[in-house]
Every structure is written in structure tokens, then in C-alpha cells.
Amino acid sequence: MLPLIFFPAIGTVLFVVGMPVSNIPAFLGYCGGIGVTVTLAVTGGRRALLALAHGVIAATGSK
């Protein structure tokens, strides 16, 4: 529930301080991805973390 309130607030602050609107969703997406990865790593979700990494690699088309 907190990200539903917190992320739009961060986006608004970034816009006010001068970040281009087109960069804000990508920036917040990366922040969310880092949060998910850290949470999985800390809680011992190694298989889920590995699946997430494979998904990211597949989505970016890297081999």
C-alpha cells in the first residue's frame, strides 16, 4: 500500500525539481526493481531472484 502513495509523491517532487517527465516512470521502475531484488535477496528467495533475473534478461533480449 505504501508504494501506491509514495511513488506518485516522489514523481511529483522529481518533476518540481526539474526532472523531465519522460524519465520519471523509468526511474521509479528501476527503484521498484531494486527494492524487489533486495527484498528477495534478504529474505532468502534465491529461486525467485534467479527467476527474476532470467525474466529481465529475456525481456531485454540479451543472451
Side-chain angles (χ1 to χ4, degrees), residues 1-58:
M1 172 120 174
L2 186 61
L4 294 175
I5 298 166
F6 199 58
F7 274 41
I10 292 173
T12 303
V13 170
L14 290 172
F15 174 73
V16 169
V17 298
M19 181 177 243
V21 175
S22 61
N23 293 349
I24 293 173
F27 179 75
L28 293 177
Y30 289 133
C31 289
I34 291 169
V36 167
T37 304
V38 168
T39 301
L40 288 173
V42 168
T43 59
R46 291 184 185 135
R47 288 185 183 175
L49 184 59
L50 186 60
L52 178 66
H54 282 276
V56 169
I57 291 170

